[in-house]
Amino acid sequence: MQDQTSPGAKTFYIETFGCQMNVHDSEKVAGVLMARGYKPVAGHEQADLILYNTCSIREKAAQKVFSHLGTFKKKYRPGEKVIGVLGCVAQQEGEEIFERAPQVSLVCGSASYARLPELLDQVETGNRRVMGLSLDTDECFETELTGRENPFRAYLTIVEGCDQRCAFCVVPMTRGPERSRPSDRILDECRRLVDEGFTEIQLLGQIVNNWCDPAPVRLSFAELLGRVAEIPGIRRVRFTTSHPRYFTPDIIEAIDAHPALCDQIHLPVQCGSNAVLERMGRHYTREEYLEEIRCIRSARRAISISTDIIVGFCGETAQDFEETLALLEDVGYDQVFSFKYSPRPKTVAGNWEDSVPEEEKARRLAVLQERQRQIQLARNQQWIGLTFEVLVEGFQPRLQQAVGRTTSNRTVNFSGRREWVGRYMNVRVTAAGPNSLVGESLEPGESSPGATT
Ligand code: 5AD
């Protein structure tokens, strides 16, 4: 988004915390604001309206918001700025936010974004306590106005909310019930995105593979993937996040059949112990999960697999943790996002004893991350000497390096030029670290070694 203030125009700044869903929500909110004549600016100092789109998945994330709001209290006179809190902390804390941070005048959860224009009307007329907190919505927040940040990859929500009630997770309380968008609307939007120049589509949902077509054609999720991948002009399709409970082999058949479906699946396991999985309310066993991994590994292309893991969930024993470590080896993940368990209000486990001490959680997390680092390094080293197509997503001027992404979601750094951003290029891998690769471009006359991970 560009900083394009004109005299007299109202300006806004949105800061986003948390997941891709939140990033995309901010894009939609920005679209609504720009349609009302607000102009985006690069920092809160220049903004008339400051919005915090918040995350409450772990306590730390939620605390961050209040500490930011605290610094504003000192910086700005009351009424100098209009400040709003959006997203999961807004939903969770509700009216409380006005008490804890009196400079806030808008509190709106993600299930109420469809009401944003009306709420903004109230803010603009000077109302200092405007709230949108209803969770009983059955609509998706659809907007043609979305102001997408990334010019190549478009996020597209296909299912919002979540009905799972995993014992640790606050999302059903903050994002409301699960609701799917009809396939015809999704496919129309994909075509429009291609017309706007996007070549990569990332389909989003808390449980993306539980998408359930409300349109009369009743496409399955795998059929939807195929339909999106067949749209001329779309070169890459990703989807996140998949839940193992709803993982079906036809997803792999779709990937086999459609080269545009990326070689990447994010399949959060959370834990390797059946006892803990059951307490978490995940509805699968370690064995069933490993069966799904075998199915993914049987695909014609090598599909990279990433996961989320929580360490130190209520009652997790040393043996349970060993089983999680063993699972890392059994699967051979390409990337792992790992977290210390953080009890959340109103969740099933929120009332249980948080039995693993903080230091032990930290120790387990460090052990797990070190083990995974070694696994990733070994896996990435197997790529040295091979050539891959990357989409150049960025450029680091200081290092004169292009930053590309493979369809398997690996980052490759290689000497390059700013003009390459947005291009698909072939790159040969020359070195590997645990988190990224180094390569050289195979464009005639363009190759030059020397990039660093
Ligand atoms: N504590 C720690 N991690 C959590 N996650 C979700 N809830 C919690 C919690 N209470 C993690 C899960 C999820 C990811 C997005 O965040 O691993 O998949």
Side-chain angles (χ1 to χ4, degrees):
M1 243 180 305
Q2 290 197 340
D3 192 344
Q4 38 183 234
T5 36
S6 61
K10 284 199 178 148
T11 54
F12 74 97
Y13 172 73
I14 306 184
E15 185 149 344
T16 308
F17 300 84
C19 62
Q20 283 130 320
M21 220 60 179
N22 263 11
V23 172
H24 187 36
D25 282 344
S26 290
E27 293 177 337
K28 296 183 200 174
V29 170
V32 170
L33 287 168
M34 288 189 283
R36 292 174 79 86
Y38 283 80
K39 304 285 178 202
V41 288
H44 53 77
E45 296 83 2
Q46 304 104 282
D48 302 313
L49 171 65
I50 304 171
L51 295 175
Y52 272 96
N53 189 2
T54 59
C55 169
S56 65
I57 196 94
R58 285 167 289 277
E59 196 183 355
K60 238 196 201 156
Q63 279 166 353
K64 239 193 218 166
V65 180
F66 286 105
S67 78
H68 272 67
L69 290 172
T71 60
F72 278 178
K73 209 164 155 185
K74 294 184 203 114
K75 226 179 226 149
Y76 302 120
R77 294 186 313 279
E80 188 179 346
K81 308 268 181 190
V82 176
I83 299 174
V85 178
L86 310 180
C88 296
V89 173
Q91 190 64 49
Q92 196 160 28
E93 304 286 326
E95 214 165 344
E96 261 296 299
I97 294 179
F98 296 125
E99 307 302 327
R100 281 181 75 174
Q103 70 278 37
V104 170
S105 46
L106 170 68
V107 171
C108 181
S110 69
S112 300
Y113 289 159
R115 286 187 55 215
L116 259 182
E118 169 208 333
L119 300 175
L120 287 165
D121 283 345
Q122 295 181 37
V123 170
E124 284 164 6
T125 53
N127 190 337
R128 286 284 158 258
R129 281 195 170 201
V130 179
M131 266 189 303
L133 294 171
S134 116
L135 267 185
D136 54 3
T137 176
D138 55 2
E139 338 163 49
C140 282
F141 176 47
E142 304 215 20
T143 170
E144 301 271 298
L145 306 168
T146 305
R148 288 186 166 80
E149 290 270 349
N150 181 312
F152 322 110
R153 179 183 54 227
Y155 290 134
L156 178 53
T157 310
I158 64 165
V159 45
E160 285 185 12
C162 183
D163 296 333
Q164 282 302 299
R165 311 235 165 230
C166 298
F168 52 82
C169 189
V170 80
V171 167
M173 274 63 77
T174 60
R175 287 193 163 268
E178 193 170 86
R179 48 224 191 265
S180 293
R181 289 177 73 189
S183 51
D184 46 350
R185 304 273 277 273
I186 296 169
L187 294 168
D188 282 349
E189 184 155 354
C190 287
R191 287 185 205 101
R192 197 170 54 75
L193 290 167
V194 171
D195 291 342
E196 287 175 25
F198 292 97
T199 58
E200 179 173 323
I201 305 276
Q202 185 156 343
L203 304 175
L204 298 180
Q206 293 298 331
I207 301 187
V208 74
N209 57 330
N210 202 26
W211 173 82
C212 191
D213 192 2
V217 286
R218 299 246 170 250
L219 295 185
S220 68
F221 175 64
E223 286 167 338
L224 178 76
L225 291 179
R227 295 286 181 88
V228 175
E230 280 165 10
I231 294 174
I234 291 186
R235 295 188 58 164
R236 291 185 170 185
V237 182
R238 303 184 195 274
F239 53 92
T240 198
T241 294
S242 300
H243 191 302
R245 184 178 184 185
Y246 303 102
F247 190 84
T248 46
D250 56 355
I251 297 174
I252 299 306
E253 287 158 24
I255 294 177
D256 275 342
H258 298 279
L261 292 178
C262 287
D263 317 342
Q264 180 210 355
I265 291 184
H266 184 57
L267 198 63
V269 68
Q270 310 298 359
C271 178
S273 144
N274 282 335
V276 177
L277 285 173
E278 189 168 353
R279 277 204 302 283
M280 286 178 161
R282 294 290 290 176
H283 300 280
Y284 54 83
T285 61
R286 175 195 181 94
E287 293 71 27
E288 285 161 349
Y289 182 85
L290 284 170
E291 196 47 48
E292 292 172 359
I293 298 295
R294 265 189 290 280
C295 172
I296 298 171
R297 295 275 182 242
S298 73
R300 286 200 208 109
R301 286 178 278 162
I303 295 177
S304 86
I305 305 176
S306 55
T307 202
D308 293 345
I309 289 179
I310 298 176
V311 299
F313 184 63
C314 312
E316 184 188 78
T317 63
Q319 177 57 33
D320 291 324
F321 177 62
E322 284 303 316
E323 290 179 28
T324 300
L325 289 180
L327 188 81
L328 295 185
E329 310 282 346
D330 289 350
V331 176
Y333 288 110
D334 296 280
Q335 201 174 8
V336 172
F337 302 90
S338 48
F339 314 98
K340 290 184 284 183
Y341 171 61
S342 161
R344 306 309 292 128
K346 299 194 194 140
T347 56
V348 176
N351 300 320
W352 299 351
E353 187 197 352
D354 182 16
S355 58
V356 180
E358 190 56 30
E359 316 78 72
E360 179 58 13
K361 285 181 190 169
R363 192 194 68 80
R364 289 181 192 179
L365 188 70
V367 169
L368 181 129
Q369 290 181 341
E370 177 51 27
R371 183 77 60 92
Q372 179 56 26
R373 202 185 69 84
Q374 289 165 12
I375 292 172
Q376 269 173 225
L377 183 61
R379 289 187 73 79
N380 283 348
Q381 279 172 341
Q382 294 171 358
W383 290 51
I384 295 173
L386 304 181
T387 297
F388 298 96
E389 185 187 66
V390 298
L391 167 59
V392 183
E393 295 186 348
F395 180 73
Q396 297 179 308
R398 199 172 52 83
L399 302 166
Q400 292 289 300
Q401 274 187 11
V403 184
R405 190 172 298 278
T406 64
T407 115
S408 66
N409 207 33
R410 285 181 174 83
T411 300
V412 190
N413 298 304
F414 57 104
S415 290
R417 306 212 191 117
R418 190 186 292 280
E419 311 85 85
W420 293 356
V421 173
R423 275 172 61 181
Y424 288 84
M425 301 179 78
N426 286 320
V427 169
R428 184 171 39 229
V429 176
T430 55
N435 298 313
S436 62
L437 307 169
V438 178
E440 56 190 13
S441 143
L442 296 185
E443 301 283 310
E446 308 278 29
S447 64
S448 55
T452 52
T453 44

